[in-house]
Amino acid sequence: MKNLQLKKLLPQAGVATVALAAALGLAACGGTPASTGSTGGSAPAESDGSYELVTDGALTFATSPDYPPFENLENGEYVGLDMDLGRAIAEELGLECEYTNIDFDGIVPAIVAGGQADAGLSGISITPEREEQVDFTDPYYVDNQAVATLSSNTELTEDNAAEALNSAEITIAVQSGSTGADFAAENYPNAEILPFPNFTDAFAAVASGQADAVCGNSAVVQQMLAGAYTDQHVILTSATGEEYAIAVSKDNPELLAAINDALAKLQEDGTIDELIAANMG
Amino acid sequence: MRTLPKRAAVALSLALACLASCCVWLALPPQAAEAMQVVRCTGRPNSDDDPTAIQGATQSRITLETTVDEGEGVDQLVVHVPDGTSFGTDDLNVTLLTGDDLMTRNEVAYDLSTDGQDIIFDFDAPLSQAGHLNIIIYDVYFPQEGGDMQVGATYTLADGSEHEIDGIPQITVVGITGPEALSQWLEQQEWVQAWNSNTFLHLFLDPTVLVTSFPVVLNGFFMSVGVVALAFPLGIPLALVLALMRLSKFFLWRGIATTYVNLMRGTPLFLQIYVAFFGLPLAGIQIPNFPLGVIVLMLNSGAYMCEIFRAGIQSINKGQTEAARSLGMNGFQTMLFVIFPQMFRNVIPNLTNEFITLYKDSSLLAAVGVMELVMYARTIVASTGSITPYIVAALFYLVITLPLSRITRVLEDRLRGHRRSKRHAHAPEAAGAEKEVAAR
Amino acid sequence: MSKTTTPAPPSEGEPIIKVFDLHKSFGETKVLNGISLDIRKGEVVVVLGPSGSGKSTLLRCLNRLEQPTSGKIIFEGQDICAAKTDVNDVRKRMGMVFQQFNLFPHLDAVHNVMLAQEKVLKRPRAEARRIALKELERVGLAERSDYYPDELSGGQQQRVAIARALSMEPHVMLFDEATSALDPELVRGVLDVMRELAQGGMTMVVVTHEMSFARDVADRVIFMEGGVVVEDGAPEQLFEHPKSERTRAFIGQVTG
């Protein structure tokens, strides 16, 4: 727990630290990824002890806590569906659960580089590009998308949203690299897509008239509208096929398997459904 | 299994509308012809160049969504994938979306077979629940040359009648771009694979990402350079006026300028950008992104350059002003023709630093949706998980900053040395000539 | 007395500058303590005195580079301290040469001389250049016209500064220790130029430590100390038969 508090004090280390860590790693092991072979062979008895962890006895997740209700910081506590799920997985594996705060676009690189976190748990959707960098566990959530606009907007309404959004006149704010960005690009190719690093700013862009609509995960959009942006409303929802999963380093297939086992158990005993109900209700 | 019992209050009116139409459907006979209608048929964009483009020979995904009517009884569905397009069948996703807002997922059980480009779904139980049938086909590779791709679909009802689903929109696929083709070629090369087997090189200098991100980040480079190339020169007159105000004897001018400079230098640029981009529009001032970015950076660098100019002016010997004034020049003429030219020469190194700082700071505009250098790179980083685009961005920064340092040095040398090199041969003559006159 | 545009210069022998009871303080420090004197047209007046006696301050008050604390200065019939007076108009009729030359380092010699002609007198560029070259010729530097100040020796710089002041066709020239910053071997060239200028009839007020110049060229020598004029007279009288003990001591010191 001390470690967790220490990490909270650290500034958003992000890419610089990843780079440093990677550079050090490169220097240390002469270009080969962490040499698990020599240590792995010595302990065949303990099957689930064969994976390596950044911190012994703890499962460290990289997360970008700006995406309620999946992950968010409340009074310094990590809350949300992903955060609850991470704790449940760690418990299944008999480990402490720790979170480290990394910008969304830095999470996958951090997992690849290693040393920062064991897995990425931050509403990450499975894409072919990301699969080239990391392994994904089985999905634990299937994404819904929502498009919201100002309630006072008469041009964009629930009745015409599907067609009206796909117009060169329309600017749709999204979070860069999110499923919302992909959804908007796939379904509204004629619209101008305006990406923001931070999802909150996409809503601010609609509020300030920089964008006509905002597109993103439905649960997140609902949460934002219920909070700071009550003058916006949802005009379209869509059940898409984007799947959220946990990213694990390709060098750590044992951990991947262990997390998948834990996920399967949590799925079976209804824990995941409970957590979804609790966080998305 | 993955039912999501979410009921959004905002969807209520939509729900009512759906309910009404359901009632209409219920009233109709169940075997309405052409009752399965296409809702959408899209391909997943997969190009780094253009976020909405679907290109050939690169992994994509087809999503086909059709309506299913109550009591329709769809027994079999055949989806015809466009010719020349390869696809995977291991990971198909077939879901029936039901409920008032069509947000409830129902997994559909089926037997799968393929026949050439046809994917045949034999449903275990005929589909009879009103909703949207959503089929996602993964591992799709459209033909390399691109073109308009027509997905076809036919369904068989329980009574054995076959129907075609009309009006499925075409998917426009563009030919693979040069960089993407190069990237894919590189991916096949042994040395690239060896290179990428090193985690560090793979993450930071992946050749396949390098070639695709280069042209994309280049767009941002032009944007960044454009913003700074306007903001910096525009900031100079502002800074000069502020500097003169700060040096003014009149306390009001001094107060205004000092307050402005302290405010701009004392708060993060990031905050100023937020205020300008989200605050001004709320105050009813609508300015497009690009000019607004230019204005904010101009206002900010104006404050920093004001201090550079002020120090530059103060460093100039008082005698220069006295000499100019003793010749009858007024204060303005003295500034313009005597002080400023000397001051500019002295502050070139500081101005260069300020330019470089401003150029790098322009990346902060990414936070508010200005598509500059870092934002383009970030978008690719976020979607690929490779750091390489940032390295490409770094190269684009160096492309400006390195030559600039060099040019500045040359400029300084030239201003200090005037045309001395030309006259170097005569130089010792100066003292000799003096003696000549003295001896006269 | 009319305070309108440039009055006609007084004829030979008439006072061109009149100073009445001039006081100047810098904060608590009193530098000038009631100076009154007349300078006549065509007269060469040399001001002597130990350092800190107020000579330079007096000179700088004459063209209002310093603002007098009290007293009056009348130049060509015009009160230069009056609120209505355009000080720039006064200054363009009064040339000044500084101890540190104060050439503009970013301009070559000819442009140093041209600048104020163009900006203040509004002379066309070609005319300004012609006059500049003529003045540079007069100080013996025609062939150095395209040299920058840092390519010139101190003496050459000072002569360019003189040419610069002369190009404005001033009615009076003020020299503020014009040779004090020069290496000894370079002093002579500057003094020669000043001597020629005096012989040409220019009204000059010269603050200097060059006793030979004072003796040979001055029409009148003023000895100052402690912010007051101690003695005022012809050079022979002042150097040979000083009335005041303090003058005698000073002259003994610098010539002895």
Side-chain angles (χ1 to χ4, degrees):
Chain A
M1 280 299 109
K2 269 178 193 161
N3 265 338
L4 182 62
Q5 298 213 324
L6 185 67
K7 273 173 186 147
K8 267 185 241 152
L9 294 174
L10 289 171
Q12 295 210 354
V15 176
T17 324
V18 179
L20 188 67
L24 289 175
L26 180 73
C29 38
T32 47
S35 46
T36 51
S38 56
T39 51
S42 61
E46 274 279 304
S47 64
D48 54 355
S50 59
Y51 49 79
E52 294 208 337
L53 296 170
V54 171
T55 310
D56 282 340
L59 188 56
T60 310
F61 291 106
T63 193
S64 171
D66 58 358
Y67 205 58
F70 289 89
E71 41 269 321
N72 198 18
L73 278 175
E74 253 174 38
N75 305 320
E77 290 295 316
Y78 287 86
V79 298
L81 168 62
D82 287 349
M83 305 294 95
D84 291 344
L85 179 65
R87 282 185 275 266
I89 291 169
E91 198 180 327
E92 282 290 329
L93 299 179
L95 297 166
E96 292 285 313
C97 178
E98 292 197 4
Y99 290 108
T100 181
N101 188 340
I102 294 179
D103 266 3
F104 184 76
D105 54 350
I107 291 175
V108 170
I111 299 304
V112 176
Q116 289 274 304
D118 300 308
L121 176 54
S122 197
I124 308 170
S125 63
I126 304 173
T127 67
E129 291 90 348
R130 287 182 185 139
E131 280 184 310
E132 282 177 22
Q133 306 286 336
V134 291
D135 283 339
F136 280 104
T137 63
D138 297 328
Y140 59 86
Y141 180 81
V142 182
D143 194 46
N144 294 324
Q145 290 294 318
V147 180
T149 185
L150 286 176
S151 306
S152 56
N153 189 330
T154 53
E155 307 288 312
L156 288 174
T157 62
E158 287 165 27
D159 298 330
N160 70 4
E163 300 80 41
L165 283 169
N166 192 17
S167 151
E169 311 283 298
I170 297 292
T171 301
I172 303 174
V174 298
Q175 183 178 25
S176 76
S178 70
T179 52
D182 291 344
F183 179 81
E186 179 167 347
N187 289 285
Y188 315 114
N190 294 332
E192 190 192 336
I193 314 286
L194 191 58
F196 290 83
N198 191 319
F199 198 36
T200 318
D201 292 342
F203 289 87
V206 173
S208 67
Q210 267 202 79
D212 301 297
V214 53
C215 175
N217 174 279
S218 174
V220 181
V221 172
Q222 302 289 1
Q223 189 96 357
M224 291 285 189
L225 298 200
Y229 298 96
T230 48
D231 56 346
Q232 297 179 25
H233 70 148
V234 171
I235 51 171
L236 182 139
T237 54
S238 177
T240 67
E242 306 287 358
E243 294 168 321
Y244 287 4
I246 300 170
V248 181
S249 167
K250 284 184 187 294
D251 297 330
N252 211 349
E254 297 86 359
L255 179 62
L256 181 75
I259 295 180
N260 270 336
D261 286 348
L263 277 173
K265 261 182 221 159
L266 294 170
Q267 189 75 262
E268 206 156 297
D269 66 12
T271 308
I272 290 184
D273 286 340
E274 274 171 35
L275 292 180
I276 290 174
N279 283 289
M280 310 284 165
Chain B
M1 177 187 70
R2 294 187 192 113
T3 53
L4 301 170
K6 185 182 55 59
R7 286 287 181 278
V10 275
L12 199 64
S13 51
L14 190 69
L16 287 172
C18 283
L19 211 62
S21 40
C22 285
C23 293
V24 175
W25 287 338
L26 282 171
L28 289 172
Q31 73 283 8
E34 281 199 340
M36 270 183 106
Q37 287 186 358
V38 67
V39 177
R40 66 190 180 106
C41 179
T42 55
R44 179 178 181 273
N46 54 7
S47 162
D48 286 343
D49 286 346
D50 173 355
T52 61
I54 306 157
Q55 63 183 8
T58 310
Q59 188 173 350
S60 181
R61 183 187 68 192
I62 295 174
T63 306
L64 176 66
E65 192 171 329
T66 64
T67 59
V68 177
D69 284 356
E70 179 74 27
E72 183 137 36
V74 179
D75 220 22
Q76 188 196 55
L77 179 71
V78 179
V79 177
H80 180 80
V81 179
D83 295 334
T85 302
S86 68
F87 55 92
T89 51
D90 300 343
D91 200 18
L92 289 163
N93 188 325
V94 182
T95 319
L96 186 64
L97 305 172
T98 59
D100 299 339
D101 55 359
L102 296 166
M103 295 297 278
T104 310
R105 290 185 170 84
N106 304 277
E107 265 199 3
V108 178
Y110 56 89
D111 284 329
L112 180 77
S113 54
T114 55
D115 177 14
Q117 291 301 103
D118 287 344
I119 306 174
I120 303 154
F121 301 91
D122 283 305
F123 300 114
D124 292 2
L127 301 182
S128 295
Q129 201 182 350
H132 283 187
L133 181 66
N134 188 294
I135 298 173
I136 303 174
I137 305 164
Y138 292 95
D139 277 334
V140 169
Y141 289 85
F142 290 107
Q144 176 158 353
E145 62 277 11
D148 286 337
M149 298 291 139
Q150 180 67 61
V151 174
T154 14
Y155 62 94
T156 312
L157 296 180
D159 60 11
S161 62
E162 256 186 49
H163 305 270
E164 190 151 336
I165 301 179
D166 287 336
I168 297 178
Q170 290 181 326
I171 299 172
T172 302
V173 176
V174 297
I176 188 167
T177 60
E180 296 277 357
L182 180 60
S183 169
Q184 289 182 7
W185 178 81
L186 279 172
E187 213 170 340
Q188 307 301 321
Q189 303 307 303
E190 260 176 40
W191 70 268
V192 174
Q193 286 162 4
W195 174 279
N196 279 345
S197 68
N198 177 305
T199 311
F200 176 78
L201 294 176
H202 181 45
L203 195 57
F204 281 82
L205 291 165
D206 184 344
T208 63
V209 180
L210 197 73
V211 294
T212 52
S213 50
F214 197 86
V216 182
V217 178
L218 184 65
N219 294 328
F221 172 70
F222 291 133
M223 176 64 112
S224 291
V225 169
V227 169
V228 177
L230 284 171
F232 187 76
L234 290 174
I236 289 176
L238 170 70
L240 285 174
V241 170
L242 285 170
L244 292 180
M245 283 170 76
R246 289 210 68 178
L247 293 169
S248 159
K249 290 193 187 87
F250 187 37
F251 78 96
L252 186 63
W253 295 144
R254 231 170 36 232
I256 292 171
T258 306
T259 309
Y260 177 84
V261 168
N262 287 342
L263 208 67
M264 295 305 269
R265 300 207 315 165
T267 57
L269 173 57
F270 139 88
L271 200 69
Q272 296 160 18
I273 289 173
Y274 267 56
V275 169
F277 277 76
F278 298 139
L280 286 185
L282 293 178
I285 303 164
Q286 287 283 1
I287 304 172
N289 261 355
F290 181 80
L292 190 55
V294 169
I295 291 170
V296 179
L297 290 190
M298 176 197 85
L299 294 177
N300 181 270
S301 75
Y304 282 91
M305 286 194 283
C306 160
E307 291 302 276
I308 294 175
F309 289 151
R310 186 171 68 108
I313 291 170
Q314 284 177 324
S315 76
I316 288 167
N317 196 316
K318 205 162 165 278
Q320 290 292 312
T321 308
E322 289 184 350
R325 298 305 302 267
S326 77
L327 288 163
M329 291 169 76
N330 62 32
F332 177 75
Q333 289 169 329
T334 304
M335 270 297 161
L336 200 59
F337 302 116
V338 176
I339 304 300
F340 282 174
Q342 298 183 52
M343 180 271 292
F344 271 111
R345 194 175 65 177
N346 293 342
V347 301
I348 283 176
N350 290 332
L351 279 190
T352 311
N353 285 342
E354 173 56 25
F355 183 89
I356 291 174
T357 305
L358 188 67
Y359 179 47
K360 291 191 290 185
D361 280 353
S362 67
S363 65
L364 291 173
L365 292 172
V368 289
V370 175
M371 289 301 287
E372 52 66 69
L373 199 42
V374 165
M375 193 62 215
Y376 275 101
R378 185 193 282 264
T379 307
I380 313 176
V381 168
S383 66
T384 63
S386 171
I387 301 277
T388 309
Y390 281 146
I391 302 294
V392 173
L395 292 178
F396 278 116
Y397 281 106
L398 290 176
V399 158
I400 293 291
T401 53
L402 287 185
L404 199 64
S405 313
R406 176 97 197 99
I407 290 168
T408 310
R409 217 171 307 135
V410 171
L411 202 64
E412 272 182 274
D413 286 351
R414 270 191 47 190
L415 283 170
R416 295 222 182 288
H418 313 300
R419 289 158 292 165
R420 178 161 291 161
S421 55
K422 183 191 100 184
R423 210 181 281 129
H424 215 70
H426 308 251
E429 204 184 299
E434 177 67 30
K435 286 201 182 92
E436 221 171 275
V437 174
R440 197 170 55 174
Chain C
M1 267 181 220
S2 104
K3 285 177 189 163
T4 51
T5 51
T6 319
S11 53
E12 194 77 22
E14 270 182 53
I16 185 168
I17 300 176
K18 295 180 183 177
V19 179
F20 300 105
D21 194 26
L22 186 66
H23 289 257
K24 173 67 185 174
S25 308
F26 294 104
E28 294 292 297
T29 321
K30 292 183 172 179
V31 180
L32 299 181
N33 293 307
I35 305 245
S36 296
L37 53 88
D38 288 356
I39 291 158
R40 280 177 288 280
K41 185 159 172 53
E43 203 175 26
V44 176
V45 179
V46 169
V47 184
L48 297 177
S51 57
S53 59
K55 323 180 286 283
S56 286
T57 305
L58 169 64
L59 208 63
R60 291 162 63 83
C61 281
L62 293 184
N63 73 348
R64 252 183 76 184
L65 281 183
E66 301 293 353
Q67 187 70 32
T69 309
S70 69
K72 219 174 194 184
I73 299 168
I74 308 294
F75 172 52
E76 298 188 332
Q78 189 177 14
D79 179 354
I80 71 161
C81 299
K84 278 184 194 168
T85 305
D86 176 3
V87 70
N88 296 319
D89 183 63
V90 171
R91 284 171 179 159
K92 73 185 183 195
R93 285 178 276 133
M94 249 191 218
M96 184 154 190
V97 177
F98 299 85
Q99 182 176 353
Q100 296 298 338
F101 333 133
N102 295 341
L103 287 187
F104 307 134
H106 60 295
L107 300 175
D108 63 13
V110 72
H111 285 93
N112 259 281
V113 184
M114 285 165 67
L115 183 65
Q117 294 186 58
E118 288 184 67
K119 303 306 172 192
V120 179
L121 302 180
K122 310 290 180 203
R123 283 179 183 152
R125 179 154 276 249
E127 189 194 349
R129 174 177 288 275
R130 189 176 52 74
I131 292 171
L133 290 172
K134 191 191 80 191
E135 296 299 344
L136 285 172
E137 175 92 58
R138 161 140 63 151
V139 299
L141 287 172
E143 76 285 8
R144 292 283 185 272
S145 65
D146 62 344
Y147 279 47
Y148 282 86
D150 62 1
E151 296 171 303
L152 297 169
S153 71
Q156 290 172 330
Q157 287 190 53
Q158 192 61 294
R159 285 187 277 145
V160 173
I162 294 171
R164 180 172 69 178
L166 290 175
S167 72
M168 302 298 287
E169 294 172 7
H171 303 164
V172 174
M173 284 287 284
L174 310 176
F175 290 85
D176 187 5
E177 307 208 18
T179 56
S180 300
L182 297 178
D183 292 338
E185 75 269 20
L186 303 180
V187 168
R188 177 107 176 261
V190 174
L191 290 182
D192 285 345
V193 168
M194 289 167 69
R195 188 172 283 124
E196 274 172 33
L197 208 52
Q199 283 156 4
M202 175 63 76
T203 312
M204 293 162 69
V205 183
V206 182
V207 170
T208 187
H209 294 293
E210 295 291 334
M211 291 304 147
S212 60
F213 182 85
R215 208 188 288 262
D216 300 348
V217 183
D219 297 315
R220 217 172 112 204
V221 177
I222 291 173
F223 176 68
M224 279 181 71
E225 193 173 26
V228 292
V229 174
V230 176
E231 202 161 338
D232 179 350
E236 315 79 64
Q237 182 221 315
L238 207 107
F239 282 108
E240 310 304 333
H241 316 287
K243 289 180 198 154
S244 152
E245 192 53 42
R246 282 185 285 170
T247 314
R248 193 195 312 274
F250 177 76
I251 301 226
Q253 222 169 28
V254 290
T255 55

